[in-house]
Amino acid sequence: MAIDVDWARAEIAKFLTLTTMRSASTRTFITSRMLTFGSDDEIVASAQVVEQILDRVLPTWRTSVPSEDNAANRWYQHREAAQRADVALQRDAEIRERLGDDAPQLSAATMHPWAWEGARALWQSGHFRQAVTAAARKVNAETQNKLGRRDASETALFVNAFSKDAPKPGQPRLRLMPDDGGDTFKSIHRGAAAFAEGCFAGIRNPNSHEDGLPELPEHEALEQLAAISVLARWVDSATVER
């Protein structure tokens, strides 16, 4: 995992301590009322950090971890998710080794910000197909912003932007390398245009017409999100030729 494991586990341990319930009884009064060890301000501050750790380690924790007992302890769901995340952080490498899968892992949070920030909210609620669609829309919007265009979008926008032809009035180009007249320049930009068309025709469009389609498995959605991230990175790093 692309995360500082020792730091993350320390933050989780701190949060679990703060949210542990204790009796409110004192030497003078005996009561069945329960309080957390930490104050509300301390817990909220800790939760702000822990939620980001959980989003990275267990992206669907808000929907996959039960919350029925939050009435007794408003932090119950957070606590169970934190405990699960702590085990994942502690034993991830061991589990993958023992199960015979120690291949490199891909984290959505390390993808290009246009892709992940576009997808994050829907992803964390388990709407993977919609999340990929939202990421594609975000990349489309950022590309329009970079080129200063509102007259074209999606496939038409990218095919025109990566065209090998010289720019025209109102039709700037995205250049991944200087035009030296060589085959590499032509190949790179032809490939970028074809890849962008594939992202929108083969990924974004089917996902946006999701009526009757089953939810994407998370690993398949992650593969699709990675493709959108590649396109985003190309656009972001390209120079604009007008």
Side-chain angles (χ1 to χ4, degrees):
M1 296 182 181
I3 188 171
D4 185 330
V5 174
D6 291 339
W7 169 82
R9 294 194 65 209
E11 291 294 330
I12 288 173
K14 174 183 175 182
F15 175 79
L16 290 174
T17 298
L18 290 172
T19 55
T20 297
M21 302 298 289
R22 61 179 176 83
S23 172
S25 298
T26 67
R27 292 181 179 179
T28 306
F29 298 100
I30 298 177
T31 175
S32 60
R33 185 183 174 207
M34 301 292 286
L35 299 173
T36 55
F37 270 97
S39 67
D40 287 346
D41 288 346
E42 288 174 320
I43 294 174
V44 168
S46 179
Q48 176 66 22
V49 176
V50 167
E51 285 180 352
Q52 295 181 62
I53 296 171
L54 297 179
D55 289 344
R56 175 73 68 87
V57 181
L58 302 172
T60 62
W61 68 273
R62 288 178 174 83
T63 55
S64 62
V65 177
S67 59
E68 299 85 55
D69 290 332
N70 280 5
N73 179 353
R74 63 171 289 197
W75 301 106
Y76 177 85
Q77 184 185 36
H78 282 69
R79 284 178 55 82
E80 181 169 332
Q83 290 167 339
R84 294 187 188 187
D86 188 54
V87 173
L89 287 166
Q90 181 183 10
R91 306 195 65 184
D92 176 70
E94 174 195 351
I95 290 171
R96 287 189 289 118
E97 180 181 357
R98 297 295 185 183
L99 295 179
D101 182 12
D102 57 353
Q105 292 187 327
L106 181 63
S107 169
T110 62
M111 293 183 189
H112 192 280
W114 295 350
W116 178 231
E117 291 305 322
R120 181 197 292 267
L122 287 163
W123 194 282
Q124 291 171 348
S125 62
H127 296 89
F128 302 124
R129 195 180 292 279
Q130 292 181 44
V132 174
T133 298
R137 289 173 177 162
K138 172 70 171 174
V139 173
N140 178 76
E142 293 293 348
T143 304
Q144 288 179 317
N145 291 339
K146 181 161 185 166
L147 294 171
R149 297 192 64 174
R150 294 293 183 273
D151 60 318
S153 65
E154 300 190 352
T155 298
L157 173 70
F158 287 91
V159 169
N160 186 275
F162 285 121
S163 170
K164 302 182 295 296
D165 298 336
K168 300 176 182 179
Q171 296 183 21
R173 309 299 188 202
L174 290 174
R175 294 301 183 224
L176 298 171
M177 64 172 287
D179 185 357
D180 58 2
D183 290 341
T184 299
F185 171 85
K186 297 175 183 177
S187 176
I188 286 177
H189 290 83
R190 182 175 67 250
F195 183 80
E197 183 174 5
C199 285
F200 283 92
I203 295 177
R204 186 268 193 238
N205 288 349
N207 284 338
S208 65
H209 303 295
E210 60 179 307
D211 291 345
L213 293 177
E215 182 57 82
L216 276 176
E218 185 174 8
H219 70 277
E220 290 185 22
L222 190 62
E223 292 170 356
Q224 294 188 3
L225 190 65
I228 302 297
S229 177
V230 170
L231 180 59
R233 206 170 298 280
W234 285 352
V235 173
D236 194 23
S237 65
T239 59
V240 178
E241 182 180 327
R242 302 184 184 278

